[in-house]
Structures are given as C-alpha cells and as structure tokens.
Amino acid sequence: MQHLNYPQSQYDTPPQACMFVDYENLYSYLNRSHDQRSHAKEVINSLISSSVQHVTHELKFQLSSPTAYADFSTMGSDGSQIQKSLYLDGMQPQFVPASLQPNASEIQICIDVLETLQNDEQISAIFLVSADRLYLPLINYCQHYNALCTVISFHPPNLSPMDEHSGRFVSASQFIQKSPPPHYQEESTPMHSHEGVRTASPPMVEIKDDLLLSALHVIIYFFGQYEDVFLTPLLRKLAEMLPDFDDPKYLITQLTESGAVWLEKRPGFPYNYTVLLVNYQHPDVLEAQDAIEKSRYVEEEAYQHLRENQSEVHDLTYPTEF
C-alpha cells in the first residue's frame, strides 16, 4: 500500500484532519461496474473503513466525524438503510440534490472544505474519497491554507514525480481487498455452478464465551442488514471493535462450530470467494438481535429528539424591537 508522508506535529497532540466522502460519485461509479453493481454498498463501506483506519492509525491524525455526501432519495430502498448505516458507523450523512444537478455532491464538498479551512486553523490535512473526480482546484486551494489535501480515488491520474500534484492521489483499490483473506482463499479453479455451496454446519450449541458473544453482537450490529457478509470488512470490524484479541478469524471459526453462523462459497473470477451468513434460528443470535434492536431504538429516539430540539431552535422568532 502506498503510504503518504505527512509531517509529524511538533506538539504532543496529533494533527487534526477532516474527511469528505463523495458517496454519490462512488455509488454511481460502482453501479456502472458490472462486477461491483450488486456489492456497491459493501465496497464503499470497506473503502471508508480502511481509509479511516489508515488516516488515524497509520498516519496518526485525529480525524473528526467523516461526512458522506449523496442524494440518498435516488438510491431507492437502499437510501434509508445507507443513511442509517453511515450514522451508526460514526459518519455524518449529508443530503445533496443530485437529482437536480448531477455534480451537486462535488460542489457541496468544495464549499464545505473551503468553509472548514477558513473557520478552523487547526486543520492540517484534508482527505477526499471519490471514484473518478480529481478535485484538482480544491487541492490547489488547500495549499494556500498550508493544508495538505489527498484524494483517494479509483482513477488517480498518472502523474510524473515532477508534477506539482504528485503524491496527492492514492488508489482506492489498495484499500479494498478484492480476494478473500488467505485463511478463506478457495482453489484458483473457478466454480462452474452459479449457486452458492454451503459448508457443513454443526448442530447449534449454547455460546458461553463472553468474547464470542461480543463478536456475535458486532456481526449482527454492523452487518445484520446484509444477507451475505463479506469477510474482509467483517474481519476488519472485529479487529477494530475487539482490539484486545488479535485473531478475528478464530472467532469466526468458533462461531461456526457453535452453529451461530456458517460459511458459503460463491463463484467469482478469477477466484471463488466465501461469505458469512448468520443463523437466525440460533437462540444466542435471537437474543443478541433482540438486544441490538432495543439499543438501536433508544439511539434513534435520542437522535430524533436531538433533531426536534434543533428544529425548535431554528424556528424561534426574535423581536425586531427591544
């Protein structure tokens, strides 16, 4: 993976950065791709998660809540679920009227970056995540504010080392592991059948290990909305949420042996791949699902209450004469 060279802060506190995600551009780009059309949401989730981890853990930036821009109303039934998933993952979904203007997300991101740099002198870096938009004028503008701007894109330009924008682009593909991890890698011979092959599933047994129960909660909380769970983002999320345990693959193996989840092969090119499915007949899965639904209800109620309070503040009228 290409690593960016950012100057380290001379202070004890880490340098501050902001991330802006052109979700509209990513979603449109991946839906135009035959290979990724049915997995656009999963690919974007994996890209965002890996990008955030790279910025915070490897580059050592203090990152404020990333903002994702899109006209979610154009995404059909997925739109509402995408917004909820972004919010629960610590991101701020930002609506833009792309149905009226195709590049609305690009324009709004530029405006918000300008306002951020003008109003917050502590920001030393801007990270933009897009599919094929380069944001060249914005990169130049950031330089005037001594803020380094990096674009994570599926189509970075092929620049010479002497170009002034050299090093400001990173390929998004390197943040997405296209093939399954080695532990789950299938044989390189493609499957001829178009149907998934389910691995043998053992009888359901009670899960008594607290760590396994925590892993099960992570799977259902972050991936319960998907029928097929891709292993790359799942393993990454388990490592993030359970940092004291360094082998998330072992957790999946143990959950499989308990009958709470199972693995299925899927045909792919050039390699087959494996997905995880949750057994919603397992008592521990049902219990975890019920607990998560209750916690989400409380979260959504609190969020709705906050939005109502904000609306009341904006609706206040003030006397023009005192």
Side-chain angles (χ1 to χ4, degrees):
M1 177 180 292
Q2 174 186 349
H3 290 275
L4 304 174
N5 295 318
Y6 282 94
Q8 295 298 314
S9 173
Q10 58 180 324
Y11 305 104
D12 293 333
T13 57
Q16 298 184 29
C18 292
M19 180 177 289
F20 301 84
V21 180
D22 196 338
Y23 200 104
E24 185 78 42
N25 183 228
L26 289 167
Y27 191 82
S28 175
Y29 172 85
L30 291 172
N31 272 280
R32 293 196 303 268
S33 170
H34 175 74
D35 294 336
Q36 303 290 358
R37 186 178 303 158
S38 60
H39 308 310
K41 292 182 295 182
E42 291 85 352
V43 172
I44 297 174
N45 287 344
S46 176
L47 171 60
I48 296 174
S49 177
S50 296
S51 300
V52 170
Q53 185 174 15
H54 179 67
V55 170
T56 56
H57 293 160
E58 297 183 35
L59 301 181
K60 307 299 182 183
F61 277 101
Q62 179 179 335
L63 187 65
S64 60
S65 177
T67 305
Y69 298 76
D71 188 340
F72 300 100
S73 65
T74 64
M75 299 176 183
S77 59
D78 288 341
S80 177
Q81 186 60 53
I82 288 173
Q83 292 183 77
K84 184 183 296 184
S85 297
L86 289 170
Y87 171 74
L88 293 175
D89 284 344
M91 296 196 64
Q92 179 63 43
Q94 178 68 45
F95 173 82
V96 290
S99 57
L100 300 178
Q101 183 168 329
N103 65 334
S105 59
E106 181 180 18
I107 294 175
Q108 190 62 54
I109 286 175
C110 290
I111 292 174
D112 288 356
V113 170
L114 302 188
E115 291 183 347
T116 297
L117 294 177
Q118 291 173 0
N119 297 328
D120 192 344
E121 298 179 353
Q122 300 300 316
I123 300 299
S124 58
I126 297 292
F127 293 90
L128 306 174
V129 184
S130 73
D132 53 7
R133 290 171 177 164
L134 301 182
Y135 291 94
L136 290 174
L138 192 57
I139 293 177
N140 295 332
Y141 184 87
C142 290
Q143 292 176 349
H144 290 298
Y145 278 85
N146 295 320
L148 296 175
C149 182
T150 298
V151 179
I152 300 173
S153 169
F154 283 105
H155 281 288
N158 186 18
L159 302 175
S160 69
M162 300 302 294
D163 192 282
E164 63 175 326
H165 297 119
S166 177
R168 294 301 98 212
F169 293 90
V170 179
S171 174
S173 299
Q174 67 184 3
F175 289 94
I176 300 174
Q177 189 170 346
K178 295 183 178 180
S179 59
H183 184 72
Y184 296 105
Q185 185 82 32
E186 307 299 335
E187 296 179 356
S188 57
T189 304
M191 295 174 60
H192 297 289
S193 171
H194 293 286
E195 297 180 359
V197 179
R198 177 173 174 172
T199 59
S201 179
M204 293 184 291
V205 297
E206 182 182 0
I207 302 175
K208 297 182 179 179
D209 187 283
D210 290 339
L211 184 61
L212 289 180
L213 289 173
S214 297
L216 184 61
H217 276 72
V218 170
I219 293 173
I220 298 175
Y221 186 90
F222 291 101
F223 302 94
Q225 68 270 34
Y226 306 120
E227 181 178 353
D228 295 345
V229 180
F230 288 85
L231 295 178
T232 297
L234 171 58
L235 292 171
R236 186 178 296 115
K237 181 60 70 174
L238 287 172
E240 175 188 340
M241 301 301 296
L242 304 172
D244 295 334
F245 190 79
D246 59 1
D247 190 4
K249 297 175 186 176
Y250 172 80
L251 298 176
I252 293 179
T253 299
Q254 294 300 305
L255 289 173
T256 302
E257 292 180 357
S258 74
V261 302
W262 72 86
L263 302 176
E264 283 190 5
K265 297 178 182 179
R266 292 286 189 269
F269 180 84
Y271 303 110
N272 302 329
Y273 61 96
T274 305
V275 296
L276 178 142
L277 295 91
V278 178
N279 181 6
Y280 287 99
Q281 303 300 318
H282 194 289
D284 290 309
V285 171
L286 293 174
E287 184 176 346
Q289 187 181 26
D290 183 60
I292 289 171
E293 288 298 323
K294 290 179 180 178
S295 67
R296 279 182 171 165
Y297 176 78
V298 173
E299 288 177 354
E300 291 179 1
E301 285 288 304
Y303 178 67
Q304 184 63 32
H305 181 67
L306 176 62
R307 293 293 299 270
E308 291 175 354
N309 287 344
Q310 291 176 340
S311 298
E312 291 177 1
V313 171
H314 289 302
D315 290 341
L316 288 176
T317 57
Y318 296 93
T320 57
E321 297 182 359
F322 296 91

PDB file of all heavy atoms in Angstrom, residues 182-203:
ATOM      1  N   PRO A 182      -6.216 -15.069   3.110  1.00  0.00           N
ATOM      2  CA  PRO A 182      -5.638 -16.382   2.827  1.00  0.00           C
ATOM      3  C   PRO A 182      -6.295 -17.517   3.588  1.00  0.00           C
ATOM      4  O   PRO A 182      -6.396 -18.622   3.074  1.00  0.00           O
ATOM      5  CB  PRO A 182      -4.170 -16.197   3.250  1.00  0.00           C
ATOM      6  CG  PRO A 182      -3.911 -14.730   3.098  1.00  0.00           C
ATOM      7  CD  PRO A 182      -5.199 -14.075   3.448  1.00  0.00           C
ATOM      8  N   HIS A 183      -6.770 -17.244   4.809  1.00  0.00           N
ATOM      9  CA  HIS A 183      -7.367 -18.303   5.609  1.00  0.00           C
ATOM     10  C   HIS A 183      -8.610 -18.880   4.933  1.00  0.00           C
ATOM     11  O   HIS A 183      -8.961 -20.034   5.140  1.00  0.00           O
ATOM     12  CB  HIS A 183      -7.731 -17.752   6.991  1.00  0.00           C
ATOM     13  CG  HIS A 183      -8.271 -18.792   7.923  1.00  0.00           C
ATOM     14  ND1 HIS A 183      -7.486 -19.767   8.486  1.00  0.00           N
ATOM     15  CD2 HIS A 183      -9.528 -19.017   8.375  1.00  0.00           C
ATOM     16  CE1 HIS A 183      -8.218 -20.540   9.269  1.00  0.00           C
ATOM     17  NE2 HIS A 183      -9.464 -20.108   9.218  1.00  0.00           N
ATOM     18  N   TYR A 184      -9.278 -18.043   4.124  1.00  0.00           N
ATOM     19  CA  TYR A 184     -10.513 -18.486   3.479  1.00  0.00           C
ATOM     20  C   TYR A 184     -10.355 -18.603   1.969  1.00  0.00           C
ATOM     21  O   TYR A 184     -11.330 -18.815   1.270  1.00  0.00           O
ATOM     22  CB  TYR A 184     -11.646 -17.483   3.780  1.00  0.00           C
ATOM     23  CG  TYR A 184     -11.982 -17.417   5.234  1.00  0.00           C
ATOM     24  CD1 TYR A 184     -11.564 -16.328   5.993  1.00  0.00           C
ATOM     25  CD2 TYR A 184     -12.689 -18.428   5.857  1.00  0.00           C
ATOM     26  CE1 TYR A 184     -11.861 -16.249   7.339  1.00  0.00           C
ATOM     27  CE2 TYR A 184     -12.986 -18.358   7.200  1.00  0.00           C
ATOM     28  CZ  TYR A 184     -12.581 -17.264   7.935  1.00  0.00           C
ATOM     29  OH  TYR A 184     -12.876 -17.196   9.264  1.00  0.00           O
ATOM     30  N   GLN A 185      -9.125 -18.458   1.441  1.00  0.00           N
ATOM     31  CA  GLN A 185      -8.925 -18.489  -0.002  1.00  0.00           C
ATOM     32  C   GLN A 185      -9.327 -19.849  -0.578  1.00  0.00           C
ATOM     33  O   GLN A 185      -8.945 -20.897  -0.063  1.00  0.00           O
ATOM     34  CB  GLN A 185      -7.449 -18.221  -0.319  1.00  0.00           C
ATOM     35  CG  GLN A 185      -7.161 -18.114  -1.796  1.00  0.00           C
ATOM     36  CD  GLN A 185      -7.474 -16.741  -2.311  1.00  0.00           C
ATOM     37  OE1 GLN A 185      -7.337 -15.769  -1.601  1.00  0.00           O
ATOM     38  NE2 GLN A 185      -7.925 -16.672  -3.544  1.00  0.00           N
ATOM     39  N   GLU A 186     -10.107 -19.812  -1.631  1.00  0.00           N
ATOM     40  CA  GLU A 186     -10.530 -21.044  -2.271  1.00  0.00           C
ATOM     41  C   GLU A 186      -9.518 -21.438  -3.342  1.00  0.00           C
ATOM     42  O   GLU A 186      -8.597 -20.696  -3.676  1.00  0.00           O
ATOM     43  CB  GLU A 186     -11.914 -20.842  -2.902  1.00  0.00           C
ATOM     44  CG  GLU A 186     -12.953 -20.306  -1.941  1.00  0.00           C
ATOM     45  CD  GLU A 186     -13.203 -21.234  -0.777  1.00  0.00           C
ATOM     46  OE1 GLU A 186     -12.958 -22.447  -0.924  1.00  0.00           O
ATOM     47  OE2 GLU A 186     -13.631 -20.765   0.268  1.00  0.00           O
ATOM     48  N   GLU A 187      -9.687 -22.591  -3.944  1.00  0.00           N
ATOM     49  CA  GLU A 187      -8.823 -23.014  -5.026  1.00  0.00           C
ATOM     50  C   GLU A 187      -8.990 -22.069  -6.209  1.00  0.00           C
ATOM     51  O   GLU A 187     -10.049 -21.474  -6.415  1.00  0.00           O
ATOM     52  CB  GLU A 187      -9.165 -24.436  -5.447  1.00  0.00           C
ATOM     53  CG  GLU A 187      -8.921 -25.464  -4.343  1.00  0.00           C
ATOM     54  CD  GLU A 187      -9.281 -26.857  -4.780  1.00  0.00           C
ATOM     55  OE1 GLU A 187      -9.785 -26.997  -5.914  1.00  0.00           O
ATOM     56  OE2 GLU A 187      -9.063 -27.781  -4.006  1.00  0.00           O
ATOM     57  N   SER A 188      -7.913 -21.931  -6.990  1.00  0.00           N
ATOM     58  CA  SER A 188      -7.950 -20.967  -8.081  1.00  0.00           C
ATOM     59  C   SER A 188      -8.805 -21.429  -9.246  1.00  0.00           C
ATOM     60  O   SER A 188      -8.994 -20.694 -10.195  1.00  0.00           O
ATOM     61  CB  SER A 188      -6.523 -20.691  -8.583  1.00  0.00           C
ATOM     62  OG  SER A 188      -5.895 -21.898  -8.996  1.00  0.00           O
ATOM     63  N   THR A 189      -9.322 -22.651  -9.233  1.00  0.00           N
ATOM     64  CA  THR A 189     -10.198 -23.141 -10.296  1.00  0.00           C
ATOM     65  C   THR A 189     -11.602 -22.596 -10.100  1.00  0.00           C
ATOM     66  O   THR A 189     -12.238 -22.850  -9.077  1.00  0.00           O
ATOM     67  CB  THR A 189     -10.262 -24.675 -10.295  1.00  0.00           C
ATOM     68  OG1 THR A 189      -8.940 -25.185 -10.416  1.00  0.00           O
ATOM     69  CG2 THR A 189     -11.123 -25.174 -11.439  1.00  0.00           C
ATOM     70  N   PRO A 190     -12.115 -21.784 -11.042  1.00  0.00           N
ATOM     71  CA  PRO A 190     -13.437 -21.196 -10.871  1.00  0.00           C
ATOM     72  C   PRO A 190     -14.519 -22.268 -10.787  1.00  0.00           C
ATOM     73  O   PRO A 190     -14.428 -23.327 -11.402  1.00  0.00           O
ATOM     74  CB  PRO A 190     -13.610 -20.325 -12.128  1.00  0.00           C
ATOM     75  CG  PRO A 190     -12.213 -20.116 -12.638  1.00  0.00           C
ATOM     76  CD  PRO A 190     -11.471 -21.357 -12.271  1.00  0.00           C
ATOM     77  N   MET A 191     -15.581 -21.959 -10.032  1.00  0.00           N
ATOM     78  CA  MET A 191     -16.716 -22.869  -9.945  1.00  0.00           C
ATOM     79  C   MET A 191     -17.559 -22.741 -11.209  1.00  0.00           C
ATOM     80  O   MET A 191     -17.714 -21.667 -11.769  1.00  0.00           O
ATOM     81  CB  MET A 191     -17.571 -22.519  -8.718  1.00  0.00           C
ATOM     82  CG  MET A 191     -16.867 -22.732  -7.394  1.00  0.00           C
ATOM     83  SD  MET A 191     -17.868 -22.139  -6.024  1.00  0.00           S
ATOM     84  CE  MET A 191     -19.323 -23.147  -6.202  1.00  0.00           C
ATOM     85  N   HIS A 192     -18.107 -23.842 -11.681  1.00  0.00           N
ATOM     86  CA  HIS A 192     -18.965 -23.801 -12.868  1.00  0.00           C
ATOM     87  C   HIS A 192     -20.424 -23.596 -12.490  1.00  0.00           C
ATOM     88  O   HIS A 192     -21.220 -23.133 -13.286  1.00  0.00           O
ATOM     89  CB  HIS A 192     -18.803 -25.090 -13.672  1.00  0.00           C
ATOM     90  CG  HIS A 192     -17.415 -25.273 -14.211  1.00  0.00           C
ATOM     91  ND1 HIS A 192     -16.909 -24.509 -15.233  1.00  0.00           N
ATOM     92  CD2 HIS A 192     -16.421 -26.127 -13.838  1.00  0.00           C
ATOM     93  CE1 HIS A 192     -15.663 -24.882 -15.514  1.00  0.00           C
ATOM     94  NE2 HIS A 192     -15.339 -25.859 -14.675  1.00  0.00           N
ATOM     95  N   SER A 193     -20.778 -23.934 -11.272  1.00  0.00           N
ATOM     96  CA  SER A 193     -22.151 -23.748 -10.832  1.00  0.00           C
ATOM     97  C   SER A 193     -22.387 -22.298 -10.457  1.00  0.00           C
ATOM     98  O   SER A 193     -21.504 -21.627  -9.939  1.00  0.00           O
ATOM     99  CB  SER A 193     -22.429 -24.639  -9.606  1.00  0.00           C
ATOM    100  OG  SER A 193     -23.687 -24.320  -9.053  1.00  0.00           O
ATOM    101  N   HIS A 194     -23.581 -21.791 -10.702  1.00  0.00           N
ATOM    102  CA  HIS A 194     -23.919 -20.412 -10.348  1.00  0.00           C
ATOM    103  C   HIS A 194     -24.571 -20.338  -8.980  1.00  0.00           C
ATOM    104  O   HIS A 194     -25.005 -19.275  -8.558  1.00  0.00           O
ATOM    105  CB  HIS A 194     -24.855 -19.804 -11.405  1.00  0.00           C
ATOM    106  CG  HIS A 194     -24.192 -19.624 -12.729  1.00  0.00           C
ATOM    107  ND1 HIS A 194     -23.270 -18.627 -12.976  1.00  0.00           N
ATOM    108  CD2 HIS A 194     -24.296 -20.345 -13.884  1.00  0.00           C
ATOM    109  CE1 HIS A 194     -22.845 -18.711 -14.235  1.00  0.00           C
ATOM    110  NE2 HIS A 194     -23.459 -19.738 -14.790  1.00  0.00           N
ATOM    111  N   GLU A 195     -24.682 -21.425  -8.294  1.00  0.00           N
ATOM    112  CA  GLU A 195     -25.308 -21.428  -6.974  1.00  0.00           C
ATOM    113  C   GLU A 195     -24.247 -21.535  -5.907  1.00  0.00           C
ATOM    114  O   GLU A 195     -23.220 -22.185  -6.069  1.00  0.00           O
ATOM    115  CB  GLU A 195     -26.282 -22.600  -6.846  1.00  0.00           C
ATOM    116  CG  GLU A 195     -27.448 -22.519  -7.828  1.00  0.00           C
ATOM    117  CD  GLU A 195     -28.376 -23.686  -7.661  1.00  0.00           C
ATOM    118  OE1 GLU A 195     -28.091 -24.551  -6.806  1.00  0.00           O
ATOM    119  OE2 GLU A 195     -29.386 -23.733  -8.371  1.00  0.00           O
ATOM    120  N   GLY A 196     -24.491 -20.875  -4.772  1.00  0.00           N
ATOM    121  CA  GLY A 196     -23.552 -20.950  -3.669  1.00  0.00           C
ATOM    122  C   GLY A 196     -23.536 -22.344  -3.063  1.00  0.00           C
ATOM    123  O   GLY A 196     -24.516 -23.080  -3.128  1.00  0.00           O
ATOM    124  N   VAL A 197     -22.393 -22.719  -2.498  1.00  0.00           N
ATOM    125  CA  VAL A 197     -22.246 -24.027  -1.880  1.00  0.00           C
ATOM    126  C   VAL A 197     -22.074 -23.824  -0.384  1.00  0.00           C
ATOM    127  O   VAL A 197     -21.137 -23.169   0.055  1.00  0.00           O
ATOM    128  CB  VAL A 197     -21.023 -24.778  -2.448  1.00  0.00           C
ATOM    129  CG1 VAL A 197     -20.868 -26.130  -1.763  1.00  0.00           C
ATOM    130  CG2 VAL A 197     -21.187 -24.949  -3.949  1.00  0.00           C
ATOM    131  N   ARG A 198     -22.975 -24.340   0.391  1.00  0.00           N
ATOM    132  CA  ARG A 198     -22.924 -24.163   1.830  1.00  0.00           C
ATOM    133  C   ARG A 198     -22.003 -25.192   2.459  1.00  0.00           C
ATOM    134  O   ARG A 198     -22.051 -26.369   2.141  1.00  0.00           O
ATOM    135  CB  ARG A 198     -24.331 -24.301   2.418  1.00  0.00           C
ATOM    136  CG  ARG A 198     -24.350 -24.200   3.942  1.00  0.00           C
ATOM    137  CD  ARG A 198     -25.767 -24.162   4.468  1.00  0.00           C
ATOM    138  NE  ARG A 198     -25.790 -24.203   5.914  1.00  0.00           N
ATOM    139  CZ  ARG A 198     -26.889 -24.034   6.645  1.00  0.00           C
ATOM    140  NH1 ARG A 198     -28.030 -23.805   6.040  1.00  0.00           N
ATOM    141  NH2 ARG A 198     -26.840 -24.085   7.953  1.00  0.00           N
ATOM    142  N   THR A 199     -21.130 -24.726   3.334  1.00  0.00           N
ATOM    143  CA  THR A 199     -20.265 -25.647   4.058  1.00  0.00           C
ATOM    144  C   THR A 199     -21.079 -26.365   5.120  1.00  0.00           C
ATOM    145  O   THR A 199     -22.145 -25.907   5.527  1.00  0.00           O
ATOM    146  CB  THR A 199     -19.114 -24.888   4.731  1.00  0.00           C
ATOM    147  OG1 THR A 199     -19.657 -23.921   5.622  1.00  0.00           O
ATOM    148  CG2 THR A 199     -18.242 -24.184   3.708  1.00  0.00           C
ATOM    149  N   ALA A 200     -20.579 -27.496   5.563  1.00  0.00           N
ATOM    150  CA  ALA A 200     -21.298 -28.278   6.567  1.00  0.00           C
ATOM    151  C   ALA A 200     -21.455 -27.473   7.850  1.00  0.00           C
ATOM    152  O   ALA A 200     -20.508 -26.871   8.327  1.00  0.00           O
ATOM    153  CB  ALA A 200     -20.537 -29.567   6.844  1.00  0.00           C
ATOM    154  N   SER A 201     -22.649 -27.446   8.392  1.00  0.00           N
ATOM    155  CA  SER A 201     -22.920 -26.672   9.593  1.00  0.00           C
ATOM    156  C   SER A 201     -23.172 -27.615  10.777  1.00  0.00           C
ATOM    157  O   SER A 201     -24.023 -28.500  10.694  1.00  0.00           O
ATOM    158  CB  SER A 201     -24.162 -25.785   9.381  1.00  0.00           C
ATOM    159  OG  SER A 201     -24.451 -25.056  10.546  1.00  0.00           O
ATOM    160  N   PRO A 202     -22.420 -27.430  11.877  1.00  0.00           N
ATOM    161  CA  PRO A 202     -22.606 -28.308  13.035  1.00  0.00           C
ATOM    162  C   PRO A 202     -23.900 -27.974  13.764  1.00  0.00           C
ATOM    163  O   PRO A 202     -24.509 -26.926  13.530  1.00  0.00           O
ATOM    164  CB  PRO A 202     -21.385 -27.989  13.900  1.00  0.00           C
ATOM    165  CG  PRO A 202     -21.032 -26.580  13.535  1.00  0.00           C
ATOM    166  CD  PRO A 202     -21.375 -26.433  12.089  1.00  0.00           C
ATOM    167  N   PRO A 203     -24.353 -28.848  14.671  1.00  0.00           N
ATOM    168  CA  PRO A 203     -25.560 -28.569  15.448  1.00  0.00           C
ATOM    169  C   PRO A 203     -25.389 -27.304  16.285  1.00  0.00           C
ATOM    170  O   PRO A 203     -24.275 -26.921  16.637  1.00  0.00           O
ATOM    171  CB  PRO A 203     -25.700 -29.812  16.333  1.00  0.00           C
ATOM    172  CG  PRO A 203     -24.891 -30.871  15.650  1.00  0.00           C
ATOM    173  CD  PRO A 203     -23.779 -30.168  14.966  1.00  0.00           C
TER     174      PRO A 203
END
